[in-house]
Amino acid sequence: MAENDNLGNLLARRGISRRTFLKFCTALASSMALSPSMVPAMAESLAKAKRQSVIWLSFQECTGCTESLTRSSQPSIESLIFDFISLDYHHTLQAASGFQAEEAREQAMAEHKGKYLLIVDGSIPVAENGVYSTIAGMTNLQMLEDAAKGAMAIVAVGTCAAYGGLPKARPNPTGAVSVTDLIDDKPIINIPGCPPIGEVITGVLAHFLTFGAIPELDTVGRPKAFYGETIHDRCYRRTFYDQGLFAETFDDEGARKGWCLYKLGCKGPVTYNSCATTKWNQETSFPIESGHGCIGCSQPDFWDMGGIYEAVSEPLTDLRGPAVTAVVAGAAAGVAVAAMNKQSKQSAKDRHFKVSSETLDEELKK
Amino acid sequence: MDTALLIWAKSTGLQWATIIMLLGLTMRVIQILLLGRATDLSEARNSDVMSAGIKTIFRRFVPPQGMLQKGLLVYLSGYIFHIGFFIVLLFFVPHIQLIDSTLGISWPGLRSSLIDAITVVTLLALIVLLLHRVWNPVLKLLSTPEDYLTWALTFLPLLTGYMAYHHMLFEYNTMLALHVLSVEALMIAIPFSKLSHMVTLFLARWYNGAIAGRKGVQS
């Protein structure tokens, strides 16, 4: 693909009709809550988009995010957009290895300085100066700092890059942190999820290619278009929650009837993501549709939010032990205070003496 | 969307609030019980002192004759907010789930829409009581800062719960964290304020009934 090629030409070569492309743009605009009047401009802008240089850094991660993006079972416009970008460095996908791979990264950083998009997946270990994860002898920390300098914007893909994710779970032995914990002078888009929905990753890339800017973000850096509502609010089982109909176990009558999974630990109420609307595997389904509660993977610190099968309202700590201790200590304190009360009552009694009018007269004369 | 705040509220915060509430309440009840009373040397006119005390505990739930007409608004609002508070606390499914996970006991809950409506009514009853406190010159004079503080501590858990459910003001997780924190503030204040009546009212009513019963009169 030529350096000055555009997305419209690529799609035409791959047999994507303009009608299909417009439909894609309409769906994209609607999923991002953009006005329908934006669609023609968006299509035009996207079709004219030039190849964007992308450097993809993988740190403490499991490659699930890349899998989510690349494992679509049929070629879609989303995957073609992914094909379209100039992926100059990606451990898993690039053919080069060793020093040649690192050279490609350095070359891209120098050639597209200030213009490349930096995608990061995986958290960055900072304990012991970052020695827990190195690439070609370079710590993740160093590599991120170097690459971030020349980036136009950074996309933190997956919960590990966005919020620290699994590596950051207590007790966090590697001192794992997120991209936002380290970089504060570049626009950063968080696309959390374990993994994030492929369409959401490409949706954000498409937005970037169309408008050359980052989409509107929420308080934890996620595009509002995709993370604006909770799973619970868009869940098709929500009506059962409102009616008070819950599955008590995974194989009871309630579970068979598709009732709400709140009591079985569904984290839908506290999880902002678009699984319930965008869905997975070419819009086939999402976890709750297969009978399992949401585990809350797109939230910061989701691994420390309690067991997967514990309801949202359950305490995260043992209360019985401290309660018994408190009652015993309270009883002891009560007895002690009562003893002190008795003592002061007794001493008041001891100090008590009878006063006669003569004594008072003498007191007055003094 | 402060998950860290929610995690703290649901772990360390809740643990400390439970400890302080139970320690304080046990201490105060034991202290009251060990106060002791001077021996009554007179002959008891009614030997069944215990049941006289227990009867009074329940009799005092009903307003004395004529009082309902005199203070209808206060009585009604008082009943509504107390009953509403307990229904919301004990029959909202997530609350039952919390009790089940802590104490291992559970019961059927009410549908969320009904709990929602009861919350609104309870909040309104509390607002009526506050307005009465502010507008009634005598009651206003008698009110101390503690009265307003305990009102706020009772009002906030209901309000934050309602707001969290309806995604008002903040995102759900932040509001939920504030809801849990407001409950913890209430728990901590219980032993050290007039809110301790939730336990001591039974002691006080029993005692009043018992001494009256001993004298052979109804209390």
Side-chain angles (χ1 to χ4, degrees):
Chain A
M1 207 185 305
E3 196 65 33
N4 58 358
D5 204 357
N6 67 33
L7 184 61
N9 293 341
L10 172 82
L11 294 175
R13 279 203 304 277
R14 298 282 179 95
I16 303 287
S17 68
R18 178 156 173 83
R19 184 181 168 80
T20 313
F21 181 59
L22 276 172
K23 271 168 81 178
F24 165 77
C25 288
T26 308
L28 192 67
S30 127
S31 73
M32 293 170 130
L34 299 172
S35 155
S37 62
M38 294 288 285
V39 174
M42 189 175 174
E44 197 184 338
S45 173
L46 199 53
K48 280 183 187 161
K50 293 273 184 280
R51 293 193 76 197
Q52 170 69 45
S53 168
V54 172
I55 296 177
W56 184 306
L57 301 177
S58 301
F59 297 142
Q60 288 191 129
E61 48 85 45
C62 67
T63 314
C65 299
T66 304
E67 290 282 341
S68 172
L69 189 56
T70 56
R71 285 282 176 121
S72 54
S73 55
Q74 50 182 309
S76 59
I77 297 184
E78 287 90 340
S79 65
L80 288 177
I81 285 177
F82 190 62
D83 285 350
F84 174 69
I85 58 171
S86 168
L87 196 57
D88 294 328
Y89 179 83
H90 189 307
H91 282 167
T92 318
L93 302 177
Q94 70 194 140
S97 63
F99 72 89
Q100 284 174 328
E102 300 312 308
E103 226 174 58
R105 175 175 56 81
E106 279 161 20
Q107 196 186 341
M109 277 165 58
E111 270 180 29
H112 306 286
K113 197 169 179 203
K115 284 183 286 185
Y116 59 86
L117 192 63
L118 182 64
I119 298 184
V120 180
D121 70 322
S123 64
I124 307 97
V126 296
E128 316 287 342
N129 293 320
V131 295
Y132 286 102
S133 179
T134 61
I135 297 162
M138 192 187 228
T139 65
N140 292 169
L141 182 62
Q142 188 62 51
M143 192 175 277
L144 174 66
E145 280 171 354
D146 285 359
K149 273 177 204 153
M152 178 157 60
I154 305 174
V155 182
V157 166
T159 305
C160 296
Y163 309 125
L166 174 59
K168 197 195 164 202
R170 280 197 302 264
N172 189 7
T174 64
V177 297
S178 66
V179 174
T180 35
D181 286 333
L182 297 168
I183 309 292
D184 56 9
D185 58 351
K186 296 282 172 184
I188 300 173
I189 310 165
N190 287 332
I191 308 180
C194 194
I197 303 169
E199 283 80 356
V200 173
I201 307 177
T202 44
V204 173
L205 288 179
H207 183 282
F208 192 79
L209 292 174
T210 311
F211 300 105
I214 64 172
E216 194 188 350
L217 306 176
D218 69 8
T219 51
V220 281
R222 301 179 288 203
K224 279 188 178 169
F226 297 106
Y227 297 89
E229 286 177 289
T230 65
I231 300 291
H232 186 60
D233 285 345
R234 299 308 298 266
C235 182
Y236 73 106
R237 296 193 189 205
R238 174 60 190 260
T239 172
F240 297 115
Y241 173 87
D242 291 334
Q243 289 173 52
L245 297 173
F246 299 91
E248 304 283 338
T249 64
F250 283 107
D251 55 359
D252 70 356
E253 192 59 23
R256 273 190 286 276
K257 284 181 173 165
W259 289 354
C260 177
L261 299 167
Y262 182 91
K263 288 188 175 180
L264 293 170
C266 181
K267 302 293 184 290
V270 289
T271 306
Y272 287 77
N273 206 337
S274 53
C275 303
T277 43
T278 306
K279 301 198 179 179
W280 289 82
N281 304 319
Q282 272 71 53
E283 297 174 27
T284 305
S285 65
F286 72 112
I288 294 170
E289 273 186 284
S290 66
H292 194 285
C294 163
I295 64 167
C297 73
S298 57
Q299 288 302 119
D301 299 320
F302 85 98
W303 282 103
D304 295 326
M305 276 214 295
I308 287 174
Y309 301 108
E310 284 168 15
V312 169
S313 65
E314 290 182 30
L316 298 178
T317 180
D318 170 47
L319 291 180
R320 284 168 164 221
V324 172
T325 317
V327 170
V328 172
V335 170
V337 175
M340 275 160 60
N341 287 344
K342 212 167 180 180
Q343 209 176 19
S344 65
K345 203 171 163 186
Q346 188 59 45
S347 71
K349 211 173 177 181
D350 291 344
R351 286 198 306 272
H352 180 81
F353 57 91
K354 281 187 177 161
V355 183
S356 64
S357 52
E358 290 81 16
T359 355
L360 284 176
D361 281 341
E362 277 169 35
E363 284 287 320
L364 282 172
K365 278 174 199 163
K366 277 181 190 174
Chain B
M1 202 151 325
D2 209 329
T3 316
L5 188 66
L6 184 61
I7 291 177
W8 187 89
K10 282 174 66 182
S11 53
T12 317
L14 188 59
Q15 205 166 30
W16 277 107
T18 309
I19 290 173
I20 294 170
M21 181 182 75
L22 290 178
L23 195 147
L25 274 179
T26 322
M27 187 181 86
R28 296 207 62 184
V29 169
I30 298 276
Q31 197 186 335
I32 293 167
L33 289 176
L34 293 181
L35 268 179
R37 285 282 181 265
T39 329
D40 192 344
L41 297 172
S42 67
E43 195 185 331
R45 292 195 184 176
N46 175 5
S47 56
D48 200 1
V49 170
M50 180 58 86
S51 75
I54 290 172
K55 272 181 200 158
T56 302
I57 293 182
F58 294 99
R59 198 175 290 125
R60 293 279 169 94
F61 281 114
V62 184
Q65 215 175 2
M67 288 302 282
L68 195 60
Q69 285 79 11
K70 274 192 166 179
L72 188 66
L73 190 72
V74 176
Y75 267 106
L76 274 186
S77 310
Y79 279 119
I80 290 171
F81 116 70
H82 275 94
I83 294 167
F85 193 94
F86 279 110
I87 291 176
V88 171
L89 176 69
L90 298 176
F91 291 97
F92 185 43
V93 172
H95 297 167
I96 299 174
Q97 197 65 24
L98 189 159
I99 296 166
D100 190 14
S101 75
T102 315
L103 300 173
I105 46 169
S106 73
W107 49 86
L110 293 173
R111 50 195 299 165
S112 314
S113 48
L114 187 59
I115 293 288
D116 198 40
I118 295 172
T119 308
V120 174
V121 173
T122 310
L123 286 168
L124 288 175
L126 275 164
I127 291 170
V128 166
L129 287 171
L130 180 71
L131 291 177
H132 175 68
R133 188 179 284 285
V134 179
W135 285 342
N136 185 307
V138 178
L139 191 59
K140 194 183 176 187
L141 194 71
L142 290 171
S143 297
T144 62
E146 189 194 328
D147 293 314
Y148 296 103
L149 179 71
T150 47
W151 180 90
L153 289 172
T154 314
F155 190 78
L156 284 176
L158 288 159
L159 182 70
T160 50
Y162 179 83
M163 289 172 80
Y165 184 75
H166 290 280
H167 300 275
M168 290 158 87
L169 194 61
F170 297 119
E171 282 143 334
Y172 182 73
N173 295 15
T174 310
M175 211 61 222
L176 184 64
L178 292 177
H179 174 60
V180 179
L181 288 172
S182 71
V183 173
E184 287 161 8
L186 175 69
M187 286 166 76
I188 290 169
I190 287 170
F192 311 107
S193 64
K194 68 172 189 178
L195 292 170
S196 62
H197 76 270
M198 66 176 67
V199 173
T200 53
L201 89 98
F202 298 103
L203 288 176
R205 284 183 185 182
W206 179 85
Y207 186 69
N208 276 330
I211 48 169
R214 198 188 146 82
K215 290 171 184 165
V217 290
Q218 200 184 67
S219 168

